[in-house]
Amino acid sequence: MNSSRVLLVGGGLTSALTASMLAEKIPHLEVAIWDKARGAGGRMATSRSPKNSNCTVDLGAQYISATPHFQCSHGEIYKELVNNGVLVPMDISMVQGMHAPRQGEEGTNHYVAPNGVSNIVKYFFKKSGVDVQFNRRIMEVTQSGSKWLVKTECGKEDFFDMVLLTLPIPQLLGLNGDVKTLINQNPEVLTNLQKVSYSTRFVLGLFFNRQVDLGVQWASNYIYNDPVIRFVSVDNIKRGKPDLPTSVIVHTTVPFGLKNIKATPEEMKPTLLAAVKTMFPEWPEPEDVKSLKWLYSQVHHPYHGTPGSLELSTAPLLLAGGDAFTSSNFDGCVDSALSILERVTKCIADK
């Protein structure tokens, strides 16, 4: 059987799940994975203190909530992650301000990743057997006969039989070559893509690099009465690691993020640190601070009809996927990966 060359673009959860599923269901495929970042995770990013590798914070996603429906439909995936220690049950009694909508319907299970949420993504990439090529920002995708020629910002280029794009929609719309042409030729698709919107947040990771008693009785806290801070978590406690060095993650409110959307993380760092100091005046100064802006934090308005993935070209196959086509959570990424797998399988069967 001839092996098709497939390029997966993206280093986040949807890409990792897709790679794992392709390896299991269509093992003869030759899969490559390119991502612009320096490491795996995407919005499931975990950062380490530069001075103490045991001091870490989850910068993006904090925990996973599995409703009864998804415990059933995605049950094997959850079981696998729990059995391999990638996920453990979360103690929601240690979460302050977690009101009913966040707790989910009756029977919803909540999980944390004890070694950081990026390990969920890394688990599936490792399972796929594909080495992710980082620092490869895709700039152009152009059809060349029956293949796609993909070019990167760093000058790397290669030919593929299929290209699977798991990018935030603004980055998808920013690609050059035939991607732009295909999208512009379909006004309905273009309109639906342009209507996808995201929330924006700034985050601070506070690394104390040693065990510190912060004097709080919670692991995580949703803040409802502050214009700057929306969520604070003592990250090592949240993940059930009280013996590790103390670390804290701070997320801003969405209105604050949108108001300052043009600012850099470094520009906003003093404002965020001042807000933390005002809210927790007794806390000692952290030894290290990581600031970040999630320009595309969570999908606020998904693609119309949430199709799971979008076929931009049938031959050669060009797909767009990710949580923009489902919902902005773990199960949304699973559903998108399943949709991509289904379309790839059909494409191969039709050849």
Side-chain angles (χ1 to χ4, degrees), residues 214-232:
L214 297 177
V216 296
Q217 301 304 311
W218 39 262
S220 304
N221 191 355
Y222 285 95
I223 311 296
Y224 293 91
N225 58 354
D226 190 86
V228 178
I229 298 176
R230 181 67 175 92
F231 178 82
V232 183

Side-chain angles (χ1 to χ4, degrees), residues 3-4 15 19-20 25 35 42 53 76 85 96 101 118 132 143 162 182 214 235 247-249 274 301 304:
S3 176
S4 296
S15 178
S20 175
K25 301 297 184 181
D35 186 54
S53 62
E76 289 303 312
Q96 187 169 299
S118 68
V132 185
Q143 187 171 349
M162 307 178 198
L182 289 166
L214 297 177
D235 203 70
S247 57
V248 172
I249 184 67
H301 188 282
H304 178 71

Side-chain angles (χ1 to χ4, degrees), residues 13-14 17 21 70 73-74 77-78 124 326 329-339:
L13 181 59
T14 302
L17 284 162
M21 292 176 184
F70 286 120
S73 61
H74 300 159
I77 294 176
Y78 280 110
F124 287 111
T326 50
N329 52 37
F330 177 85
D331 292 292
C333 293
V334 175
D335 280 341
S336 182
L338 288 168
S339 174

